[in-house]
């Protein structure tokens, strides 16, 4: 039991679990067998001595353990054992009739079944008994659950542990049904046991305590009734209809054959199916039959079940199974017409309501334990189908959005302070920036339903508010745009005026919040009631503070509310709204993403055939890799990937390289590589992947140089080249990315992931100029970094497009947005037309040929091309080499190029120059032809759309932008061939999937050829606000991580060049192999010691201060004052030695500690505007993907390790520094943490007290290899560090005061000699102080002993940058 509990706890904390079992796999089989035995033990099982040895709580732990095994099938050790209880042999526990039905459904299983029966006849009795145990385990487990379920009484207390046990059992059943590997054969067994029917009829289902149990039953029913075949294929709408009508007509034939003389049955048998397939009609019919009649019908239908093979207790009878109530419900469930899953999704309201937002079972709060059972979907390794995949993500994304919306609503309503006045009305005693009272709300337009639909086609309303708020807040409300989301709230407060919120009471009880509905803005109305045009530059003037918005309501929700009001007599919600709330734009895009997912669920969008099974988690994990694809490209140009022959050969050390030079060119870049032809055998003959017979193919890589075709004689047009010497693994990633298929690149910190991505994009661009590449990242920062590097390569900027917000943060003066690119094209067009005019003049051609792109095209066709062809004919006929230069018709045009244009050395050289010059001219007209549509399209919108769909070849956007704008992109006809994803391990699963489907299929196929995912699953996962969704639902699992878990081949970059090798050793253990690039051993920055520190990294033990270690003022807001003071004192020490402030970053493991450190910094240093602040103060989570030279890290915790136990977080924390890392924490606590032992064992090899050399200054000349020069100053505690820094500061002040004083006096004296002006100093103010007041910058600061800090160098007095969460 202790082992299972330990595994469950480690799983909950996302710690590695199964590695310990792999060391002795034979013992795990025995352990798993014992777990199964204990699962079947009776509740409150007692040992022979009569003492309690086994309880329901422990059985819950066993069920949780089984659930973890079911969801960990990627582990061979686990899968081998789990298959014993979920394989085909478990059908031996089926009833005979049901077994016949199942084998008839899938005839291919008949032979394996017969072989299984023959094999059973050959084994001995002990082996038979063992096999019987495994094959009947799940059926016996369900019987044990039934025994527990029937023990529940209608009233009175529940038996101890019964509710938890039943909920954990259903959770296990859901896990089994939601994965095809376990569902395939188990589904029939569970259906034959009628678990769902018994749960719905159980007394616990209707009790108040059984609310979560009932929701779990509904979730299990969803997966149990999921429309999928035994082989994993989705049933189409037609196939579902055929199956349903087949069951209904079969029932009619069965009852007629059993009871031909009964008039009522004749009437039922002859009735149309649509009249008998409703629950009401079926219940009425089956209620009229006796129990014996029902048993006969159930037996013929095949749903009677079989209990002969079930091992039960003596005191448990079978009356429950044979009851008429159960048989009736079983038959109804089998024959009634169900609403399809697609219809349920389409009828679902897109906005969360109060029923969902404050349902703790669906939207748990921050205090809910992730070990509890909840009726929530989970994201495991495998999915039943793409429909199931999208549906789970839709539900989770909707619930996660509801959690964030709940937080905003509670904050806004609490600030509004709704009170009940004496007349029973509502008054507001406060105000909120994000919420306003509603003056008037009116639904004025309800459209007729579309054909075949019940909800109206549209619902529009008018919303009136009064903007009697500050000017900046009024501007925010008036800046609301079309499609922004608002929330309409109804509060009916019960608290009287002046009452305060009690935070320990439920929010709804105090606020009186009754209803929540969402709406989408159509626009704001002017004083005349007309919709304001957002594109108009002139905004209308309003006469008062009243503003009216026109909004769209959710038709589905409006229909549900209308039905509840009409049929159930409930209150009409819409006239009661009295608060409108808005949210931050960046947090309010959930509706667009949800609608995108729902559109995909309803559409027949085609995933590439080579990706379908891999995406769902089935089949061969290597099937989508380029080596297994049937479309390998044998020869490709690698452009500037390799810097030399030696570099190329070093990248293929394990492969034979043949250097071929048929054109007698210098053996230098660029190179063209030809890969070995993969071969297969068919009929004993070796064949290529295309099927052609080939001779024996050796593993030889053929390399040949080629010459870049120069496009211009002007040096300014010289193409940019790559200068990164790629490593062998980086080269492997580039090759894989250039080939068709799925490429996964695992990039540890500092291994050049971005450089690899950029080179892949550039090589695809040059090898396949007709293809388009989509770049997707998680953050705007990463996208801009990638885009800036792409701009530095040889890629025509007219083919680059950056979409979405964040483009303005690009470090360039050029505008790469859609309208910026249109302006570039138009300006480039004018520039090219001027070149055409110059060419016209040089050729002596009359007319205005440079007026438009069309006239320029005619000029090229009839003048330029004709002259070039005439020139070629003359050169071909001439034997005089001088004629190449003398007869060249465009010499005058290139008069401004470096001269002489022709070297006149060789005929080939001069001819090459002529061709180069003509290519330059030809490229002018090629570009003009591409720009011609921009002349024909007159509006800016049309031009941006054409640019997006036709002109741009490399399009970059964030995953959020892709989800929000998908519908628009599809309607525009957006197309692309390749997808490159950076930060792939930080993107939510569904946000990773959506960018694959931003285009319509072509002839039933997806044109996607390459999918390159670059990330690091060993660092932090996607951010999920709700911890239950993050852990219990596994929403933190990115698609990249899931692919790695599934065993899909990865390219692991294995050499870092960011940091010192000693710092890399702190986290390199986490990766398969991670070394250091040569420059980390050679560059002076990596060889020089950190001034003032004995070591380049240290773990500093921080004891309690005044008896206090960590504190938690509010939930998850953890602080540690001692560490905060220690970190700030260290920062001050570094600044006193001369470290640049911009080179220092302070990180904290918790947001509360970050705010505490900020307060300490402002207190210790904030009264001196010249002192400078660290480059950044942030949490570890927010700093992922960034770096700095020196990092001060506060671990905060002193009682428990907390969420730092997650190895991924500690990897991020330890990998942000390049030159120096100093970690502050409780050494005994973290050193004894098993999961973190590899890192902290290295950290703790050095002293856990600061060893300092305060006599040094930055930068020091001391090398790391020089050893310690003298006995260091040892700092034993935080107070010692503070006292030492204070004394050091005083010394610096005394040393520098005379020099600064003299400098200031000399400067003042110089100014007085140059300009004799009367003194402007006030009486009693010294010249030095007056000068100090006028001066700006670090040099003018006069040190004072009462200040705790003195700026030395590199300090710009910058404001501290803090990441707010």
């Amino acid at each position: 039991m202790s082992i299972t509990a330990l595994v469950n706890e480690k799983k909950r904390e996302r710690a590695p679990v199964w590695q310990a079992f792999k060391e002795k796999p034979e013992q795990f089989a025995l352990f798993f067998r014992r777990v199964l035995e204990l699962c079947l033990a009776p509740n409150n099982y007692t040992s022979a001595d009569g003492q309690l040895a086994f309880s329901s709580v422990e059985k819950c732990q066993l069920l949780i353990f089984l659930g973890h095994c079911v969801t960990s099938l990627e582990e061979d050790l686990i899968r081998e054992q789990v298959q014993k209880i979920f394989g085909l042999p478990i059908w031996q526990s089926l009833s005979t009739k049901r077994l016949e039905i199942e084998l008839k459904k899938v005839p291919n299983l008949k032979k394996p079944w017969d072989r299984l029966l023959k094999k059973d006849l050959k084994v001995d009795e002990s082996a038979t008994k063992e096999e019987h145990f495994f094959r009947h385990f799940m059926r016996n487990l369900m019987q044990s659950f039934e025994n527990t379920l029937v023990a529940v009484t209608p009233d009175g207390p529940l038996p101890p542990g019964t509710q938890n046990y039943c909920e954990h059992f259903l959770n296990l059943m859901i896990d089994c049904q939601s994965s095809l590997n376990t569902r395939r054969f188990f589904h029939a067994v569970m259906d034959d046991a009628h678990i769902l029917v018994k749960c719905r009829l159980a007394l616990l289902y209707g009790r108040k305590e059984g609310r979560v149990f009932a929701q779990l039953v509904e979730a299990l029913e969803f997966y149990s009734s999921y429309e999928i075949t035994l082989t994993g294929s989705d049933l189409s709408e037609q196939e579902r209809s055929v199956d349903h009508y087949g069951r209904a007509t079969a029932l009619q034939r069965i009852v007629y054959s059993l009871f031909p003389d009964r008039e009522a049955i004749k009437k039922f048998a002859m009735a149309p199916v649509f009249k008998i397939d409703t629950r009401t009609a079926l219940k009425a019919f089956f209620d009229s039959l006796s129990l014996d009649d029902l048993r006969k019908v159930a037996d013929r239908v095949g749903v009677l079940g079989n209990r002969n093979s079930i091992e039960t207790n003596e005191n448990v009878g079978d009356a429950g199974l044979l009851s008429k109530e159960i048989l009736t419900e079983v038959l109804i469930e089998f024959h009634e017409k169900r609403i399809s899953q697609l219809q349920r999704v389409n009828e679902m309201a897109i906005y969360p309501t109060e029923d969902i937002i404050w349902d703790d079972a669906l939207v748990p709060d921050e205090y809910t334990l992730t070990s509890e059972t909840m009726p929530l979907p989970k994201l495991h390794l495998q999915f039943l189908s793409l429909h199931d995949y999208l549906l789970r993500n839709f539900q989770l994304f909707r619930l996660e959005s509801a959690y964030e919306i709940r937080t905003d609503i509670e904050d806004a309503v609490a600030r509004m302070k709704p009170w009940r006045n004496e007349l029973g009305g509502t008054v507001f005693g406060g105000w909120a920036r994000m919420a306003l009272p509603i003056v008037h709300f009116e639904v004025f337009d309800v459209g007729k339903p579309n054909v075949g639909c019940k909800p109206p086609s549209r619902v529009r309303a008018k919303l009136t508010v009064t903007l009697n708020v500050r000017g900046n807040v009024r501007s925010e409300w008036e800046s609301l745009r079309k499609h922004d989301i608002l929330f309409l709230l109804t509060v009916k407060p019960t608290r009287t005026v002046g009452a305060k919120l009690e935070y320990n009471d439920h929010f709804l009880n105090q606020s009186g919040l009754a209803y929540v509905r969402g709406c989408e803005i159509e626009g704001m109305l002017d004083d005349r009631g007309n919709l304001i045009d957002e594109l108009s530059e002139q905004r209308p003037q309003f006469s008062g503070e009243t503003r009216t918005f026109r909004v769209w309501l959710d038709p589905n929700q409006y229909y549900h509310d209308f039905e509840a009001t009409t049929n159930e007599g409930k209150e009409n919600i819409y006239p009661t709204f009295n608060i409108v709330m808005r949210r931050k734009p960046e947090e309010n895009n959930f509706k667009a993403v949800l609608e995108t997912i729902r559109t995909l669920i309803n559409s027949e969008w085609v995933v590439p055939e080579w990706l379908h099974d891999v995406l769902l988690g089935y089949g061969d994990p290597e099937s989508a890799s380029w080596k297994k694809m049937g479309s390998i490209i044998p020869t490709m140009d690698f452009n500037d990937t390799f810097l030399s022959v030696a570099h190329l050969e070093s990248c293929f050390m394990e492969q034979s390289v043949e250097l071929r030079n048929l054109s007698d060119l210098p053996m230098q870049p660029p190179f063209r590589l030809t890969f070995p032809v993969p071969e297969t055998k068919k009929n004993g003959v070796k064949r290529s992947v295309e099927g052609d017979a080939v001779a024996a193919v050796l593993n030889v890589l053929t390399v040949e140089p080629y010459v870049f075709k120069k496009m211009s004689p002007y040096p300014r047009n010289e193409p940019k080249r790559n200068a990164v010497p790629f490593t062998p693994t980086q080269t492997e990633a580039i090759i894989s990315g250039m080939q068709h298929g799925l490429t996964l690149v695992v990039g540890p910190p500092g291994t050049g992931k971005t450089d690899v991505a950029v080179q892949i994009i550039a090589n695809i661009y040059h090898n396949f100029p007709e293809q388009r590449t989509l770049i997707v990242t998680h953050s705007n920062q990463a996208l801009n970094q990638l885009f800036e590097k792409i701009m530095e390569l040889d890629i025509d900027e007219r083919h680059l497009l950056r979409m979405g917000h964040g483009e303005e943060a690009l470090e360039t003066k050029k505008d790469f947005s859609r309208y910026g690119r249109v302006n570039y094209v138009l300006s480039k067009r004018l520039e090219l037309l001027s070149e055409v005019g110059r060419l016209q003049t040089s050729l002596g051609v009359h007319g205005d040929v440079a007026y438009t792109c069309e006239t320029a095209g005619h000029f090229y066709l009839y003048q330029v091309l004709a002259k070039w062809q005439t020139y070629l004919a003359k050169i071909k006929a001439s034997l005089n080499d001088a004629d190449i230069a003398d007869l060249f018709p465009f010499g005058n045009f290139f008069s401004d190029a470096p001269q002489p244009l022709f070297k006149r050395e060789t005929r080939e050289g001069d001819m090459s120059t002529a061709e180069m010059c003509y290519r330059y001219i030809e490229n002018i007209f090629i570009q003009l032809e591409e720009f011609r549509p921009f002349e024909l399209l007159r509006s800016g919108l049309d031009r941006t759309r054409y640019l997006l769909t036709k002109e741009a070849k490399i399009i970059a956007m964030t995953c959020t932008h892709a989800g929000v704008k998908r519908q628009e992109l599809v309607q525009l006809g957006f197309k692309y061939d390749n997808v490159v994803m950076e930060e792939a391990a930080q993107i939510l699963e569904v946000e990773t999937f959506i960018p694959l489907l931003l285009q319509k299929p072509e002839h039933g196929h997806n044109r996607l050829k390459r999918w390159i995912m670059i990330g690091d699953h060993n660092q932090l996962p996607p951010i999920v606000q709700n911890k239950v969704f993050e852990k219990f639902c596994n929403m933190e699992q990115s698609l990249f991580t899931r692919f790695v878990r599934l065993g899909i081949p990865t390219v692991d970059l294995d050499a870092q060049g960011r940091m010192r090798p000693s710092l890399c050793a702190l986290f390199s253990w986490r990766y398969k192999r991670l070394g250091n690039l040569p420059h980390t051993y050679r560059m002076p920055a990596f060889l020089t010691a950190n001034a003032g520190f004995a070591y380049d990294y240290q773990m500093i033990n921080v004891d309690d201060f005044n008896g206090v270690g960590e504190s938690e003022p509010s939930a998850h807001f953890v602080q540690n004052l001692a560490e905060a003071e220690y970190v700030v004192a260290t920062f001050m020490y570094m600044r006193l030695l001369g470290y640049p402030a911009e080179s220092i970053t302070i990180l904290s493991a918790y947001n509360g500690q970050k705010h505490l450190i900020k307060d300490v910094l402002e207190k210790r240093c904030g009264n001196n505007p010249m002192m400078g602040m660290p480059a950044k103060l942030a949490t570890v989570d927010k700093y992922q993907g960034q770096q700095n030279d020196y990092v001060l890290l506060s671990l905060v915790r002193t009682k428990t390790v907390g969420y730092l136990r997650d190895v991924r977080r500690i990897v991020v924390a330890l990998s942000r520094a390049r030159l120096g890392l100093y970690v502050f924490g409780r050494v005994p606590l973290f050193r004894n943490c098993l999961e973190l032992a590899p890192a902290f064992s290295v950290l703790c090899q050095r002293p856990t007290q600061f060893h300092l050399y305060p006599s040094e200054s930055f930068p020091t000349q001391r090398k790391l290899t020089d050893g310690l020069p003298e006995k260091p100053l040892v700092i034993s505690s935080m107070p010692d560090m503070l006292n030492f820094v204070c004394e050091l500061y005083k010394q610096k002040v005394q040393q520098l005061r005379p020099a600064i004083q003299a400098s200031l006096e000399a400067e003042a004296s110089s100014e007085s000699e140059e300009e004799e002006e009367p003194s402007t100093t006030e009486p009693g103010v010294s010249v030095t102080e007056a000068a100090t007041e006028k001066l700006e910058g670090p040099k003018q600061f006069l040190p004072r002993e009462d200040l705790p800090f003195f700026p030395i160098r590199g300090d710009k007095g910058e404001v501290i940058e803090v990441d707010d969460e």
Side-chain angles (χ1 to χ4, degrees), residues 699-711:
N699 188 27
V700 176
L701 178 69
T702 304
V703 178
E704 55 181 329
Y706 65 97
V707 178
F708 275 126
K709 291 184 178 180
K710 294 190 66 175
M711 301 298 294

Side-chain angles (χ1 to χ4, degrees), residues 142-321:
M142 287 184 278
Q143 180 59 46
S144 178
F145 164 72
E146 293 176 31
N147 297 339
T148 304
L149 199 59
V150 298
V152 178
T153 58
D155 48 20
L158 292 172
T162 297
Q163 179 182 347
N164 284 337
Y165 175 79
C166 293
E167 291 175 357
H168 282 294
F169 173 83
L170 290 180
N171 195 61
L172 174 62
M173 295 297 102
I174 292 171
D175 289 341
C176 296
Q177 287 279 19
S178 59
S179 176
L180 190 60
N181 282 341
T182 51
R183 171 195 174 94
R184 180 175 282 112
F185 302 113
F186 170 70
H187 174 69
V189 176
M190 196 192 87
D191 191 50
D192 197 39
H194 310 308
I195 288 296
L196 278 171
V197 172
K198 294 172 184 176
C199 287
R200 281 198 300 267
L201 297 179
L203 296 175
L204 181 60
Y205 187 84
R207 291 187 55 157
K208 181 180 179 180
E209 302 92 328
R211 184 172 62 91
V212 174
F213 175 81
Q215 291 174 325
L216 287 168
V217 172
E218 293 175 4
L220 179 58
E221 182 181 7
F222 166 79
Y223 286 109
S224 180
S225 60
Y226 193 83
E227 298 96 351
I228 192 172
T229 65
L230 197 65
T231 57
S233 302
D234 262 327
L235 290 177
S236 64
E237 191 67 33
Q238 182 179 0
E239 289 173 327
R240 288 194 293 267
S241 297
V242 169
D243 180 63
H244 166 68
Y245 282 100
R247 292 186 182 192
T249 54
L251 174 65
Q252 290 176 312
R253 291 193 298 269
I254 289 172
V255 297
Y256 185 77
S257 63
L258 289 174
F259 317 107
D261 300 330
R262 300 183 189 180
E263 193 61 33
I265 289 182
K266 286 183 180 180
K267 185 177 180 181
F268 178 86
M270 300 300 294
V273 171
F274 73 89
K275 286 189 176 182
I276 66 167
D277 62 357
T278 63
R279 171 167 283 272
T280 303
L282 289 169
K283 182 169 178 55
F285 172 73
F286 290 127
D287 283 345
S288 65
L289 300 180
S290 65
L291 177 58
D292 291 337
D293 292 343
L294 284 174
R295 288 182 58 82
K296 293 177 182 178
V297 174
D299 183 56
R300 289 284 297 274
V301 172
V303 296
L304 183 59
N306 178 25
R307 300 190 54 180
N308 296 328
S309 61
I310 300 177
E311 301 172 2
T312 59
N313 296 324
E314 297 178 355
N315 58 345
V316 178
D318 58 353
L321 181 64

Side-chain angles (χ1 to χ4, degrees), residues 671-956:
F671 296 113
R672 180 177 295 117
L673 273 60
T674 301
F675 299 94
V677 180
E679 57 186 38
T680 59
K681 280 191 176 183
K682 187 175 182 181
N683 299 328
V685 180
K686 291 184 178 180
R687 299 181 180 275
S688 66
V689 289
E690 290 80 10
D692 301 326
V694 296
V697 180
L698 300 177
N699 188 27
V700 176
L701 178 69
T702 304
V703 178
E704 55 181 329
Y706 65 97
V707 178
F708 275 126
K709 291 184 178 180
K710 294 190 66 175
M711 301 298 294
S712 169
Y714 299 101
R716 65 176 180 270
N717 293 328
E718 188 68 24
K720 304 169 185 176
R721 300 294 182 211
N722 165 59
V724 178
F726 292 110
T727 65
T729 53
Q730 287 177 321
T731 304
E732 181 185 354
I734 293 171
I735 293 172
S736 179
M738 294 172 65
Q739 294 283 354
H740 291 178
L742 173 64
T743 298
L744 261 63
V745 181
V746 178
T751 52
K753 298 186 290 291
T754 304
D755 292 328
V756 170
V758 168
Q759 194 63 35
I760 291 173
I761 294 167
N763 287 356
I764 293 176
Y765 173 82
H766 289 290
N767 278 273
F768 313 99
E770 74 286 353
Q771 294 185 9
R772 314 180 79 224
T773 300
L774 174 66
I775 304 173
V776 180
T777 66
H778 169 65
S779 63
N780 280 302
Q781 178 185 356
L783 189 63
N784 288 342
Q785 290 176 355
L786 183 62
F787 203 79
E788 287 165 4
K789 288 196 173 185
I790 292 174
M791 291 159 49
E792 297 174 359
L793 293 182
D794 182 24
I795 295 178
D796 196 322
E797 67 175 85
R798 76 178 190 273
H799 292 147
L800 297 176
L801 177 62
R802 166 72 162 86
M803 298 184 65
H805 300 290
E807 183 274 336
E808 59 276 3
L810 283 171
E811 295 184 0
T812 177
K813 295 181 180 179
K814 299 176 181 178
D815 187 355
F816 284 90
S817 65
R818 281 202 280 182
Y819 283 98
R821 289 296 85 195
V822 169
N823 293 334
Y824 167 79
V825 167
L826 296 178
S827 62
K828 186 69 174 178
R829 166 185 165 273
L830 295 177
E831 179 184 331
L832 294 175
L833 287 176
S834 67
E835 287 289 283
V836 172
R838 195 165 64 86
L839 177 62
Q840 174 192 1
T841 303
S842 68
L843 295 179
V845 178
H846 300 287
D848 192 3
V849 301
Y851 181 65
T852 65
C853 296
E854 183 179 7
T855 58
H858 289 297
F859 170 63
Y860 170 74
L861 183 63
Y862 296 109
Q863 297 290 338
V864 179
L865 183 60
K867 292 182 182 297
W868 173 251
Q869 291 175 342
T870 302
Y871 169 73
L872 290 179
K874 292 179 179 178
I875 296 301
K876 186 177 181 180
S878 174
L879 298 177
N880 186 3
D881 295 347
D883 288 346
I884 297 177
D886 297 340
L887 299 178
F888 186 63
F890 310 114
N892 293 335
F893 178 73
F894 291 104
S895 59
D896 57 342
Q899 301 295 327
L901 193 62
F902 294 91
K903 305 299 181 183
R904 299 179 183 269
E905 296 175 352
T906 63
R907 181 182 182 89
E908 292 77 9
D910 288 348
M911 195 63 205
S912 176
T913 300
E915 291 173 349
M916 173 190 64
C917 293
Y918 180 71
R919 281 195 295 270
Y920 177 81
I921 295 174
E922 185 182 34
N923 189 50
I924 292 175
F925 293 97
I926 290 175
Q927 292 185 65
L928 286 173
E929 186 62 26
E930 290 184 11
F931 296 164
R932 185 175 176 183
F934 291 89
E935 289 183 342
L936 305 177
L937 300 171
R938 308 309 300 173
S939 71
L941 181 61
D942 290 339
R943 286 170 172 172
T944 60
R945 289 175 173 175
Y946 179 83
L947 178 81
L948 171 64
T949 56
K950 300 294 184 182
E951 181 68 13
K953 301 296 184 183
I954 298 174
I955 305 98

Side-chain angles (χ1 to χ4, degrees), residues 1041-1297:
T1041 303
R1042 184 161 70 88
F1043 279 167
V1044 173
R1045 289 183 62 195
L1046 286 168
I1048 293 176
T1050 61
V1051 180
D1052 293 54
L1053 305 185
D1054 57 3
Q1056 69 85 25
R1058 173 193 296 175
M1059 65 202 71
R1060 301 183 195 267
S1062 57
L1063 296 180
C1064 178
L1066 296 175
F1067 61 88
S1068 59
W1069 54 271
R1070 183 63 178 162
Y1071 299 91
K1072 295 179 181 178
R1073 54 186 183 278
L1074 179 59
N1076 304 284
L1077 291 174
H1079 71 262
T1080 61
Y1081 297 98
R1082 296 195 304 261
M1083 287 182 62
F1086 294 117
L1087 299 178
T1088 304
N1090 295 340
F1093 294 95
Y1095 304 100
D1096 53 355
Y1097 69 83
Q1098 263 190 285
M1099 169 78 178
I1100 308 302
N1101 184 54
V1102 183
D1103 294 321
D1104 292 348
F1105 180 63
N1106 292 334
V1108 179
E1110 69 174 70
S1111 60
E1112 196 168 359
S1114 60
H1116 310 299
F1117 198 80
V1118 187
Q1119 297 180 335
N1120 188 319
L1121 180 60
E1123 288 188 20
E1125 292 281 10
Y1126 215 148
V1127 167
V1128 173
T1130 305
F1131 167 73
M1132 296 167 62
Y1133 170 73
M1134 297 176 71
R1135 295 292 290 119
L1136 287 171
L1137 298 188
Y1139 283 87
E1142 57 268 23
S1143 298
I1144 306 172
T1145 290
I1146 298 178
L1147 297 182
S1148 164
Y1150 286 84
N1151 193 39
Q1153 182 75 349
K1154 180 195 72 175
H1155 288 285
L1156 179 60
I1157 294 175
K1158 179 185 177 184
D1159 293 341
V1160 175
L1161 277 169
E1162 291 176 347
K1163 183 178 180 180
R1164 300 289 181 200
C1165 314
N1167 57 347
N1168 180 2
M1170 301 296 113
M1171 70 174 183
M1173 289 285 191
K1176 205 157 195 179
L1177 169 62
T1179 60
V1180 172
D1181 293 30
K1182 287 288 185 179
Y1183 203 64
Q1184 179 166 342
Q1186 303 177 60
Q1187 59 179 312
N1188 208 342
D1189 289 344
Y1190 307 96
V1191 171
L1192 308 179
L1193 171 63
S1194 173
L1195 299 181
V1196 187
R1197 302 308 293 259
T1198 59
K1199 299 176 182 177
T1200 61
V1201 175
Y1203 76 171
L1204 278 172
R1205 189 182 296 273
D1206 190 336
V1207 180
R1208 298 170 298 183
R1209 183 166 283 104
I1210 209 67
V1211 166
V1212 174
L1214 299 180
S1215 60
R1216 300 304 97 196
R1218 296 180 62 249
L1219 303 176
L1221 173 67
Y1222 302 98
V1223 184
F1224 301 82
R1226 188 62 54 87
V1227 170
L1229 175 67
F1230 290 93
R1231 181 170 53 193
N1232 295 327
C1233 178
L1234 179 63
E1235 290 79 12
L1236 307 181
F1240 285 91
S1241 62
V1242 177
L1243 278 170
C1244 295
Q1245 288 175 0
R1246 295 182 175 180
T1248 57
Q1249 296 177 338
F1250 258 140
H1251 285 48
L1252 306 179
Y1253 291 106
S1255 60
E1256 292 183 340
S1257 62
F1258 179 89
T1260 182
Q1261 300 300 316
R1262 177 167 56 93
K1263 303 297 182 183
L1264 283 175
T1265 55
D1266 292 345
L1268 301 181
E1270 58 187 22
K1271 186 177 181 180
L1273 171 67
V1274 179
I1275 303 296
S1276 60
S1277 64
M1278 180 270 293
D1280 289 349
M1281 186 67 177
L1282 283 176
N1283 294 331
F1284 165 70
V1285 170
C1286 181
E1287 293 298 324
L1288 181 63
Y1289 169 74
K1290 291 180 180 180
Q1291 295 176 16
K1292 294 289 184 180
V1293 168
Q1294 294 299 330
Q1295 293 172 5
L1296 296 175
R1297 179 181 290 274

